[in-house]
Amino acid sequence: YQNNKPSLLGIFAHCTVFNKRIEQQISGKNLVIIPEGKLHYLPFGSLHDGSNFLLEKFSYSLLPNITIMDQLSNRKASSEKTPIIGNPANDKGFSSLEMSELETSAISNLSYRSKTLQGKQATETEFKNNVSNFGVIHFAGHAYFDEIAPLSSSLVMAGDKINDGMFTLSELYETNISADLVTLSACETGLGSVRSGDEVFGFTHGLLFSGANSVVSSLWKVPDEETGLLMLGFYDNLESMAKSEALQQAKLFILNDVNSHPYYWASFQYTGIN
């Protein structure tokens, strides 16, 4: 970025390696990457030039297409309130995630504006009734992506007499969300159905379509402990860094101090603008 405007728009289309020739054309340290089709499934930060991961040299953000940039630039969060949803109780056969509770408790201590919902309190009804009033949303729990019927893919929350606790992608598209940031600290929330053109039809697309300004989501089943550490670092970094850089530095902590294998840090992708 130069003067808050991107100097580079994209590693486009058919780029599946990161090499010196591409690097020589980059003037800044923050990339905007616009993948095509199944390249949305590529964890770009784990690309390697023989000496370093891309993550070690650049922070980056993804965009589904070039036209959405102006839309995102003009969106403003309606509130600074932050719901932190951790380990919602469910009767759908999903296991309890104790690390998610520790993650949400630790993150809530970083912000006086946060409200923590855990277990039976983390209901789909509570979320739906208040989601339009949130500036930042953090969800740490189970997610389910349905390859056959993508609109049935769900974030798993607690159920009650009004809602069953399965907040589906279909319902998401009908929800008004004005959050500046939505973080889905759950497995495979960055997956979707690849449609014609450059779009991936999934949670990230649904959140941007519904009004969110930016999304952090995952490409595979993520390990609990490392994910908790990454998320805590991410929110701590947000106090002084742009969002893509905050995620980059949180990943670098895992890479350098916990486990260097990309499985432990490369799954989470940031989509949006800083």
Side-chain angles (χ1 to χ4, degrees):
Y1 281 80
Q2 296 176 350
N3 298 322
N4 293 322
K5 295 194 180 221
S7 57
L8 175 73
L9 289 178
I11 295 176
F12 281 87
H14 305 293
C15 174
T16 57
V17 296
F18 186 74
N19 55 41
K20 296 294 184 183
R21 187 175 63 181
I22 294 174
E23 186 175 355
Q24 290 170 0
Q25 301 178 47
I26 299 173
S27 60
K29 291 296 183 182
N30 301 288
L31 307 181
V32 177
I33 301 175
I34 304 175
E36 180 183 5
K38 292 186 178 180
L39 289 183
H40 282 274
Y41 291 166
L42 180 65
F44 286 91
S46 64
L47 294 179
H48 204 274
D49 65 4
S51 300
N52 299 99
F53 291 109
L54 180 146
L55 179 78
E56 296 177 270
K57 296 184 176 183
F58 302 97
S59 63
Y60 67 95
S61 57
L62 303 181
L63 287 177
N65 56 62
I66 190 65
T67 59
I68 199 173
M69 179 171 287
D70 286 339
Q71 296 177 38
L72 298 181
S73 298
N74 293 325
R75 290 180 181 178
K76 303 295 182 183
S78 61
S79 169
E80 293 185 341
K81 294 180 181 178
T82 303
I84 303 174
I85 303 167
N87 195 22
N90 72 88
D91 58 0
K92 308 297 182 182
F94 293 92
S95 61
S96 177
L97 299 171
E98 293 183 4
M99 283 301 300
S100 292
E101 292 195 19
L102 295 176
E103 174 186 329
T104 53
S105 296
I107 292 172
S108 67
N109 289 332
L110 297 175
S111 173
Y112 68 90
R113 300 179 295 269
S114 65
K115 177 181 181 180
T116 303
L117 300 171
Q118 295 181 342
K120 293 181 179 180
Q121 293 181 327
T123 66
E124 181 184 359
T125 300
E126 174 76 12
F127 180 78
K128 285 181 176 179
N129 288 345
N130 296 285
V131 66
S132 61
N133 299 319
F134 298 143
V136 175
I137 299 171
H138 182 84
F139 175 84
H142 285 290
Y144 167 71
F145 177 69
D146 190 329
E147 294 184 12
I148 305 301
L151 284 174
S152 297
S153 302
S154 304
L155 300 178
V156 182
M157 302 182 187
D160 56 23
K161 294 180 180 179
I162 302 174
N163 291 284
D164 64 2
M166 302 295 283
F167 183 57
T168 66
L169 185 56
S170 177
E171 292 173 300
L172 174 58
Y173 275 103
E174 298 174 352
T175 302
N176 178 32
I177 296 176
S178 58
D180 180 56
L181 170 67
V182 179
T183 302
L184 300 179
S185 180
C187 297
E188 301 179 337
T189 50
L191 299 184
S193 175
V194 179
R195 300 298 175 93
S196 59
D198 52 16
E199 300 278 4
V200 173
F201 189 67
F203 290 114
T204 298
H205 182 278
L207 287 163
L208 295 177
F209 177 88
S210 299
N213 194 46
S214 59
V215 181
V216 173
S217 57
S218 64
L219 293 175
W220 55 76
K221 295 185 184 298
V222 292
D224 284 352
E225 184 173 346
E226 288 79 6
T227 295
L229 291 172
L230 189 152
M231 289 299 166
L232 184 59
F234 172 55
Y235 281 95
D236 193 25
N237 293 339
L238 282 177
E239 296 296 322
S240 58
M241 302 177 190
K243 288 174 281 189
S244 61
E245 183 184 0
L247 185 59
Q248 176 204 24
Q249 294 301 317
K251 289 180 178 181
L252 285 174
F253 168 74
I254 302 298
L255 187 160
N256 293 321
D257 296 299
V258 180
N259 195 310
S260 62
H261 195 288
Y263 165 74
Y264 294 96
W265 51 264
S267 177
F268 286 98
Q269 305 268 60
Y270 173 77
T271 302
I273 60 174
N274 287 309

